[in-house]
Amino acid sequence: MHQAARLKDVVVLIATASIWTLVVMVFSTTMGSRPLRIYDWGPPVFACILTLLVMLKDRRTEGKPR
């Protein structure tokens, strides 16, 4: 059985992506003196956005017959 995305799921997803992004950014900037680049924070942020879009799409199609 497939469940629609709940607010709790969205909050957990955003919190996990935010924490992981911060961890990657901290390690990337403390391991050497270089500016922060998009490949430091981009993948976790884009993965979070993509996952949220899929969750919202699934929520909209939950009540429709397949």
Side-chain angles (χ1 to χ4, degrees):
M1 178 176 263
H2 185 67
Q3 281 188 324
R6 297 174 304 211
L7 180 61
K8 177 185 168 191
D9 299 329
V10 173
V11 170
V12 168
L13 175 71
I14 291 174
T16 303
S18 300
I19 291 168
W20 185 248
T21 301
L22 289 175
V23 167
V24 170
M25 288 171 61
V26 166
F27 276 106
S28 295
T29 54
T30 58
M31 299 301 265
S33 58
R34 66 171 182 80
L36 194 60
R37 297 187 177 116
I38 192 169
Y39 55 79
D40 293 329
W41 57 268
V45 170
F46 295 137
C48 177
I49 292 170
L50 180 64
T51 305
L52 282 172
L53 291 174
V54 171
M55 287 169 66
L56 290 173
K57 179 182 172 270
D58 283 350
R59 186 176 185 148
R60 287 185 185 182
T61 58
E62 181 67 25
K64 297 179 183 176
R66 294 181 184 193

